[in-house]
């Protein structure tokens, strides 16, 4: 989820003109637990649980990794 913010700030991805996608992207909030851990949460609605946001986050993560022998290995790419 952290990587998505950087992509938006660097204008490498833009928010499409689709209300459902925009609502999902804006619904995710950063929460710091009492133990100091960071979590990203979104309210569950009839339309899902920020599913479009998480799909984007997974796609961005997949674009930053390569697969080798069943292991995910991060690598640096230039956008």
């Amino acid at each position: 989820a952290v990587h998505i913010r950087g992509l938006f700030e660097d204008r490498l991805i833009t928010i499409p003109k689709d209300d459902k996608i925009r609502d999902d992207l804006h619904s995710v909030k950063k929460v710091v637990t009492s133990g100091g851990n960071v979590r990203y949460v979104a309210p569950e609605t009839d339309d899902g649980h920020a599913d479009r946001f998480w799909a984007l986050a997974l796609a961005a993560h997949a674009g930053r990794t390569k697969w080798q022998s069943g292991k995910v290995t991060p690598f640096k790419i230039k956008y």
Side-chain angles (χ1 to χ4, degrees):
V2 176
H3 179 61
I4 296 298
R5 181 176 180 162
L7 293 175
F8 280 114
E9 288 173 351
D10 294 342
R11 297 183 181 197
L12 296 171
I13 53 177
T14 57
I15 300 174
K17 294 179 182 179
D18 181 293
D19 289 338
K20 289 185 178 189
I21 294 173
R22 286 174 183 252
D23 290 346
D24 270 7
L25 294 175
H26 291 290
S27 71
V28 177
K29 304 294 181 212
K30 178 181 174 180
V31 175
V32 179
T33 67
S34 59
N37 298 311
V38 175
R39 295 182 59 200
Y40 291 88
V41 298
E44 187 159 352
T45 66
D46 290 338
D47 196 38
H49 194 70
D51 298 338
R52 294 166 192 89
F53 172 86
W54 294 114
L56 176 61
L58 288 169
H61 175 70
R64 297 176 63 206
T65 58
K66 61 182 176 181
W67 295 86
Q68 293 180 351
S69 305
K71 296 179 182 179
V72 177
T73 308
F75 70 101
K76 295 183 180 186
I77 58 172
K78 187 172 184 178
Y79 290 98

